[in-house]
Structure formats: structure tokens, C-alpha cells
Amino acid sequence: MRRTTSPFSLVLLGLGTFLLVLAPLLAWYVQPRAAVNPIDIDTTAVYTGRGSVFDTDRIETVPGRKITVTQRVRGDVEDSERSGAAVWDVITSVDTDKSLPAADPHDALDFKPHRWVMDRQTTRPVHCCGEKPYFEGEAYLKFPFDVQKRSYQWWDNTLGDTVVLRYRGTEKVQGYTGYRFTGSVPPTRTGTRMVPGRLVDQKDRPQVLAEEWYSNHGLELVVDQATGRVLYAQTGPRRTLRAPGGKKDAAVLLDSRKVSFTTGTQREAVRQAKRDSGQLRLLGETLPIGAAAAGFVLAVTGGVLVARGRKEPDQPVSSETSDTPQPTLTM
């Protein structure tokens, strides 16, 4: 008796082996390369809150005003493709009801255009392509992929430096769980500005190069663990003026304990986080586990069928067809 291998068993064995090889490739090669920051981003985040603002018409600080911060982020696809990094142009404006809607964004209480360039995989700053200002730290606008339960160096564009944000556990935003980070900024001098002397208690001087100071009552971010997308952001900015060499604030430009994401911004952030993290989970977990399980079953089944084979009886060899030479009769 001898055994023969059926084509079906070989197909099962081959397919199972392929899936077993594919599973780790999806998890360790394909998924990390899918976790990249986009270059064609076009999104807007809106913060609202209440606080004190400097009224340029009344030349005084007015309390209890509604504050709206609008942050528009657009990717420069051409520069991104040329550099291999993600080039994002960011415009941040701070408005009161008086300047909303503004025909010219320069009419806002504060208006800052800047360009952030980052590594598409690590989110670390890349210093090229007209980056402005010179960014540092580990994160700005978003965290890196696969957020860890540790402190991060977050870039504060008003401060012009990084702020340590510490992990504080988890929190739900619109029913979706993220990692919560908090931090604060002590009073720090950030620059100078030419202003009328009377604004900084120097009435005898028509113009004074006053010092600009910035602090933050509290930064709070809730971040999607897989993608690093910010689901909720809250900030408490305080910007003041001091006389040259002064030890105390002479004028308050902006002061709010809490300016945070609107409900609409939260919902959109959660929607995008669910979509993107779901895709990463599919490539990094669901498909590899499914491929490994299916591959194991198919490979074992195919191997067993190959080992068993199909028994066939040996065919007798006739003398007429045998290759063994037959004796010949000679005289």
C-alpha cells in the first residue's frame, strides 16, 4: 500500500502557513506604518468661556465677557510631500462678542498665525519648511500615537516654551474614555510691548516699553490613547502688562479661569478618534489575531490530511512490462 496527497490538503496547509506569516506582519509592520499624522488635515476647534478682557475703546479691563478661541489647522500638502514631514499651518484667534464675526481676523483680541512641522510617526518637531516659531517638546495640538501613562512635554505657544503635563487617570468625553493630563504655568515674562505709560502706572511717560507676562491657571487635556487626538481641552490663560522692572501686574489684557472645547468640538473629536483608533485596532489587533487563529486551524487541518493521505493498493508488475531482463533461449 502507498499514500497519495490530495490537492485540497496542500491548499489548506499553504493557506494556513500564509495566514500565520501574515499575522505578525500586520501587527509589527503594517499597523505601525498606518499610524501616521495626516498631511491633508483641515479642522477647526472652538473654545468658549468667560473672563476679563482689555477693552481698547474704554482703555480698561472689563470683567465677565464671553471669550471665544478659534483654532484652525490646515495641512500644506505640497510642503509635506516635499519634506516627508507633516506641515500644518495654524491660526489661533481670541475674540469677544464684539469682534465676532470678524471680517478681518486681525480685528480679533488676539491673532496668531504659525506653522508646526512634525515627524509623521513620532509627532516630534521637525525644524524645516518655514517652521515658526521654533517648536520643542513632545506634543502640540495632539499627542503621539500610543499615549503612555506618564508626563509629557507639551508646547505652549503663548509661553513660547514647553509645559509639563502629568497623567491624572482616565476620563470620559461624550461617553468615550481618554487619558487625562493636567498642568499649569507660573507667571512668566514672554516679551515686551510699547504702550501708553498710564497703562502701567507711569502717567508721566507718553510711551513705555512694558513687559508682557503670561501664566495659566490650569491646563487640562483628555486624549485618545491610540491616536493621541485631543478629545477635550481646557485652559485658563492670564496675560498682563507690567512696568519695566515691575514686580506686579499693572494691566490685565486677558484673564479667564476656564476656556474649554465646545460640545460640538468635543463630539467631532470623539467621532474622529473612534474612526481612526478603530482602524488602528483592526490592523494591530483584530486582523492579526483572526489571521493567526484561522492560520493555525487551517495549517493543522492541512498537515493532518497530508500526513494521513489516501491509501492506494500497490499495482502488480507484469513480466511483459517489467524492466528486468528476461532470460533468452540459445542453442
Side-chain angles (χ1 to χ4, degrees), residues 19 48 89 114 117 119 137 154 169 204 218 241 245 273 297 302 307:
L19 291 175
T48 57
D89 290 315
H114 50 283
V117 186
D119 184 280
W154 176 267
D204 56 333
L241 293 178
V297 172

mmCIF file of all heavy atoms in Angstrom, residues 19 48 89 114 117 119 137 154 169 204 218 241 245 273 297 302 307:
data_model
loop_
_atom_site.group_PDB
_atom_site.id
_atom_site.type_symbol
_atom_site.label_atom_id
_atom_site.label_comp_id
_atom_site.label_asym_id
_atom_site.label_seq_id
_atom_site.Cartn_x
_atom_site.Cartn_y
_atom_site.Cartn_z
ATOM 1 N N LEU A 19 -1.359 32.645 6.428
ATOM 2 C CA LEU A 19 -2.021 33.448 7.449
ATOM 3 C C LEU A 19 -1.164 33.566 8.708
ATOM 4 O O LEU A 19 -1.157 34.610 9.366
ATOM 5 C CB LEU A 19 -3.383 32.849 7.792
ATOM 6 C CG LEU A 19 -4.447 32.951 6.685
ATOM 7 C CD1 LEU A 19 -5.716 32.223 7.108
ATOM 8 C CD2 LEU A 19 -4.746 34.412 6.365
ATOM 9 N N THR A 48 -14.759 78.084 24.346
ATOM 10 C CA THR A 48 -15.526 79.218 24.881
ATOM 11 C C THR A 48 -15.397 79.257 26.393
ATOM 12 O O THR A 48 -15.143 78.238 27.048
ATOM 13 C CB THR A 48 -17.020 79.142 24.509
ATOM 14 O OG1 THR A 48 -17.562 77.901 24.991
ATOM 15 C CG2 THR A 48 -17.214 79.240 22.995
ATOM 16 N N ASP A 89 -0.340 74.430 9.075
ATOM 17 C CA ASP A 89 -0.473 75.862 9.315
ATOM 18 C C ASP A 89 -1.613 76.086 10.303
ATOM 19 O O ASP A 89 -2.725 75.590 10.103
ATOM 20 C CB ASP A 89 -0.743 76.614 8.013
ATOM 21 C CG ASP A 89 0.473 76.619 7.098
ATOM 22 O OD1 ASP A 89 1.586 76.863 7.602
ATOM 23 O OD2 ASP A 89 0.312 76.380 5.888
ATOM 24 N N HIS A 114 0.866 80.580 12.832
ATOM 25 C CA HIS A 114 2.165 79.933 12.978
ATOM 26 C C HIS A 114 2.155 78.618 12.212
ATOM 27 O O HIS A 114 1.116 78.154 11.737
ATOM 28 C CB HIS A 114 2.521 79.711 14.446
ATOM 29 C CG HIS A 114 1.445 79.044 15.260
ATOM 30 N ND1 HIS A 114 0.322 79.705 15.705
ATOM 31 C CD2 HIS A 114 1.331 77.779 15.723
ATOM 32 C CE1 HIS A 114 -0.440 78.879 16.413
ATOM 33 N NE2 HIS A 114 0.145 77.703 16.418
ATOM 34 N N VAL A 117 5.706 71.928 12.169
ATOM 35 C CA VAL A 117 6.206 70.835 11.332
ATOM 36 C C VAL A 117 6.623 69.699 12.261
ATOM 37 O O VAL A 117 7.394 69.904 13.197
ATOM 38 C CB VAL A 117 7.410 71.277 10.470
ATOM 39 C CG1 VAL A 117 7.810 70.157 9.514
ATOM 40 C CG2 VAL A 117 7.066 72.553 9.707
ATOM 41 N N ASP A 119 7.346 65.168 12.771
ATOM 42 C CA ASP A 119 7.548 63.826 12.244
ATOM 43 C C ASP A 119 6.193 63.129 12.181
ATOM 44 O O ASP A 119 5.429 63.148 13.156
ATOM 45 C CB ASP A 119 8.508 63.045 13.139
ATOM 46 C CG ASP A 119 8.832 61.672 12.589
ATOM 47 O OD1 ASP A 119 8.006 60.750 12.769
ATOM 48 O OD2 ASP A 119 9.901 61.515 11.981
ATOM 49 N N GLY A 137 9.627 70.067 22.463
ATOM 50 C CA GLY A 137 8.722 69.219 23.232
ATOM 51 C C GLY A 137 8.264 67.992 22.475
ATOM 52 O O GLY A 137 8.719 67.689 21.372
ATOM 53 N N TRP A 154 4.515 69.399 26.706
ATOM 54 C CA TRP A 154 3.534 69.993 25.796
ATOM 55 C C TRP A 154 3.957 71.411 25.436
ATOM 56 O O TRP A 154 4.286 72.207 26.313
ATOM 57 C CB TRP A 154 2.166 69.996 26.475
ATOM 58 C CG TRP A 154 1.061 70.659 25.711
ATOM 59 C CD1 TRP A 154 0.661 71.967 25.817
ATOM 60 C CD2 TRP A 154 0.206 70.062 24.727
ATOM 61 N NE1 TRP A 154 -0.397 72.212 24.962
ATOM 62 C CE2 TRP A 154 -0.685 71.064 24.286
ATOM 63 C CE3 TRP A 154 0.107 68.793 24.192
ATOM 64 C CZ2 TRP A 154 -1.669 70.817 23.331
ATOM 65 C CZ3 TRP A 154 -0.870 68.542 23.248
ATOM 66 C CH2 TRP A 154 -1.740 69.542 22.813
ATOM 67 N N GLY A 169 -5.006 59.907 35.226
ATOM 68 C CA GLY A 169 -6.032 58.875 35.149
ATOM 69 C C GLY A 169 -6.866 59.003 33.884
ATOM 70 O O GLY A 169 -6.483 59.673 32.929
ATOM 71 N N ASP A 204 3.448 109.898 33.738
ATOM 72 C CA ASP A 204 4.321 110.974 33.299
ATOM 73 C C ASP A 204 5.086 110.626 32.019
ATOM 74 O O ASP A 204 5.797 111.474 31.478
ATOM 75 C CB ASP A 204 5.327 111.317 34.401
ATOM 76 C CG ASP A 204 6.130 110.110 34.842
ATOM 77 O OD1 ASP A 204 5.612 108.977 34.721
ATOM 78 O OD2 ASP A 204 7.276 110.289 35.306
ATOM 79 N N GLY A 218 -4.650 76.763 34.764
ATOM 80 C CA GLY A 218 -4.685 75.313 34.680
ATOM 81 C C GLY A 218 -4.949 74.823 33.271
ATOM 82 O O GLY A 218 -5.883 75.274 32.613
ATOM 83 N N LEU A 241 0.314 93.155 31.691
ATOM 84 C CA LEU A 241 1.409 94.085 31.418
ATOM 85 C C LEU A 241 1.989 94.578 32.735
ATOM 86 O O LEU A 241 1.254 94.804 33.702
ATOM 87 C CB LEU A 241 0.909 95.290 30.607
ATOM 88 C CG LEU A 241 0.432 95.035 29.174
ATOM 89 C CD1 LEU A 241 -0.078 96.345 28.563
ATOM 90 C CD2 LEU A 241 1.539 94.439 28.323
ATOM 91 N N GLY A 245 10.699 96.363 34.729
ATOM 92 C CA GLY A 245 11.264 96.007 36.025
ATOM 93 C C GLY A 245 10.241 95.882 37.125
ATOM 94 O O GLY A 245 10.612 95.675 38.297
ATOM 95 N N ALA A 273 -11.705 60.262 16.594
ATOM 96 C CA ALA A 273 -10.887 59.347 17.390
ATOM 97 C C ALA A 273 -11.409 57.915 17.285
ATOM 98 O O ALA A 273 -10.632 56.965 17.154
ATOM 99 C CB ALA A 273 -10.864 59.799 18.850
ATOM 100 N N VAL A 297 -5.618 26.863 12.589
ATOM 101 C CA VAL A 297 -6.598 25.808 12.312
ATOM 102 C C VAL A 297 -6.378 25.201 10.933
ATOM 103 O O VAL A 297 -6.370 23.963 10.761
ATOM 104 C CB VAL A 297 -8.032 26.366 12.428
ATOM 105 C CG1 VAL A 297 -9.057 25.338 11.955
ATOM 106 C CG2 VAL A 297 -8.325 26.773 13.871
ATOM 107 N N GLY A 302 -4.657 20.945 7.427
ATOM 108 C CA GLY A 302 -3.943 20.545 6.208
ATOM 109 C C GLY A 302 -2.820 19.586 6.502
ATOM 110 O O GLY A 302 -2.587 18.623 5.757
ATOM 111 N N ALA A 307 -0.539 14.172 6.265
ATOM 112 C CA ALA A 307 0.079 13.033 6.957
ATOM 113 C C ALA A 307 -0.689 11.745 6.719
ATOM 114 O O ALA A 307 -0.098 10.669 6.534
ATOM 115 C CB ALA A 307 0.174 13.324 8.453
#
